[in-house]
């Protein structure tokens, strides 16, 4: 099956922009059966026994900033939303009255459709901003753009070239910033890949995954998440296309 970023996007937006903590005894707790079916009994039991953490107001720039429990919580929430909305046809709109700015310096059919669909399915209003609509750091500074956008929307997803643009948005904005892609990381894509692996294998811990290709933003994100979830990651890249040394250093420290 084709992998899109929709469930992970929905999961993070649901947790970051909702304005209150995830409570298992509340609405999400009503879908215990599909969550168990998706994740497997052992994974579900570990999830139920783990301590929940609030992600309200958090930025999502890289998996490096998230603990194993937090990543597992994102994956569980994505699986639960997928089971309830796509599998069960449930109308679940926790983002009613919320809006999301979607900044796309780089075009992408799948990412645009998945993010707009995800926000819409949760009841929010997506506001797409192409390079023709917004010029980060050109007509006005990124600092000013972050402040202006924060006054209109509840969350900003940005698909940019330089990762430093995301860091600047996060430093000066007052709403959560979500990395839709940068030259350094693509965390939403790797969360979607992890969710697919979890769907097929039932658990991520102990899996061995081989990456054969260039050292790009996707494998960089995998390197930040795999050690935290017990995944053995084997990487083979052509000479001259290796992963960034600073990312490798961080991954070695996590491992």
């Amino acid at each position: 099956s084709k992998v899109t970023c929709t469930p992970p996007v929905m999961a993070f937006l649901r947790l970051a922009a909702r304005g209150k903590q995830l409570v298992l005894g509340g609405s999400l707790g009503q879908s215990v059966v599909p969550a168990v079916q998706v994740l497997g009994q052992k994974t579900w039991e570990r999830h139920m026994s783990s301590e929940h953490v609030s992600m309200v107001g958090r930025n999502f720039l890289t998996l490096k900033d998230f603990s194993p429990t937090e990543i597992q919580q994102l994956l569980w929430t994505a699986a639960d939303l997928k089971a309830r909305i796509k599998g069960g046809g449930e109308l679940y709109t926790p983002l009613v009255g919320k809006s999301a700015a979607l900044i796309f310096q780089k075009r992408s059919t799948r990412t645009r459709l998945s993010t707009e669909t995800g926000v819409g399915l949760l009841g929010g209003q997506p506001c797409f901003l192409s390079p023709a609509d917004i010029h980060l750091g050109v007509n006005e500074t990124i600092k000013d753009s972050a402040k202006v956008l924060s006054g209109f929307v509840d969350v900003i997803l940005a698909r940019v070239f330089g990762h430093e643009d995301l860091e600047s948005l996060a430093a000066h904005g007052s709403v959560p910033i979500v990395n839709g892609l940068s030259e350094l990381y693509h965390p939403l894509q790797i969360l979607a890949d992890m969710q697919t692996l979890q769907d097929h294998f039932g658990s991520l811990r102990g899996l061995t995954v081989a990456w054969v290709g260039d050292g790009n933003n996707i494998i960089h994100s995998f390197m930040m998440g795999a050690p935290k979830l017990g995944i053995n990651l084997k990487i083979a890249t052509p000479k001259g296309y290796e992963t960034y040394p600073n990312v490798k250093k961080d991954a070695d420290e996590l491992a």
Side-chain angles (χ1 to χ4, degrees):
S1 60
K2 293 183 179 179
V3 176
T4 67
C5 298
T6 302
V9 168
M10 293 168 67
F12 187 80
L13 293 179
R14 189 253 182 251
L15 295 175
R18 177 60 172 146
K20 61 182 181 181
Q21 296 186 26
L22 170 66
V23 180
L24 279 177
S27 57
L28 277 177
Q30 297 171 1
S31 59
V32 170
V33 174
V36 171
Q37 291 173 349
V38 171
L39 298 182
Q41 186 64 39
K42 290 184 178 179
T43 303
W44 171 252
E45 289 173 353
R46 285 199 301 271
H47 175 80
M48 289 294 288
S49 62
S50 64
E51 181 181 354
H52 273 270
V53 292
S54 172
M55 297 188 198
V56 174
R58 292 278 299 277
N59 296 312
F60 187 67
L61 306 187
T62 167
L63 290 175
K64 177 184 175 181
D65 300 332
F66 287 75
S67 69
T69 298
E70 290 169 338
I71 297 173
Q72 290 168 352
Q73 185 169 318
L74 284 170
L75 290 172
W76 177 86
T77 304
D80 188 69
L81 291 172
K82 179 181 177 181
R84 295 169 62 182
I85 297 174
K86 185 177 181 179
E90 181 179 342
L91 181 63
Y92 179 57
T93 56
L95 296 186
V96 167
K98 306 286 187 179
S99 60
L102 310 180
I103 301 172
F104 276 59
Q105 285 186 337
K106 299 181 68 176
R107 292 180 297 176
S108 170
T109 301
R110 291 172 182 79
T111 303
R112 178 176 178 179
L113 284 174
S114 64
T115 51
E116 287 191 347
T117 299
V119 173
L121 283 173
L122 293 177
Q125 175 63 51
C127 305
F128 179 76
L129 298 171
S130 73
D133 302 310
I134 185 171
H135 304 277
L136 286 178
V138 179
N139 293 334
E140 64 181 6
T141 65
I142 293 179
K143 177 180 178 180
D144 287 339
S145 295
K147 290 183 176 181
V148 171
L149 289 172
S150 295
F152 285 99
V153 301
D154 301 283
V155 62
I156 299 170
L157 181 143
R159 183 180 171 91
V160 300
F161 290 97
H163 191 76
E164 63 275 8
D165 288 348
L166 289 169
E167 294 175 332
S168 184
L169 285 171
H172 301 293
S174 57
V175 298
I177 307 298
V178 179
N179 181 358
L181 174 143
S182 71
E183 99 290 348
L184 189 59
Y185 294 116
H186 196 358
L188 287 178
Q189 178 61 59
I190 210 61
L191 277 181
D193 293 340
M194 287 178 173
Q195 184 182 357
T196 299
L197 289 171
Q198 190 162 258
D199 286 350
H200 283 280
F201 293 101
S203 176
L204 298 176
R205 183 164 299 279
L207 292 182
T208 297
V209 177
W211 173 276
V212 181
D214 61 321
N216 57 24
N217 49 12
I218 298 178
I219 188 59
H220 287 166
S221 289
F222 212 168
M223 291 165 68
M224 294 299 97
K228 297 180 180 182
L229 299 179
I231 300 173
N232 302 306
L233 189 56
K234 308 293 184 180
I235 302 172
T237 60
K239 187 175 181 180
Y241 295 88
E242 296 85 357
T243 56
Y244 288 9
N246 60 316
V247 176
K248 184 178 184 303
K249 180 177 181 293
D250 289 340
D252 289 340
E253 291 175 357
L254 290 173

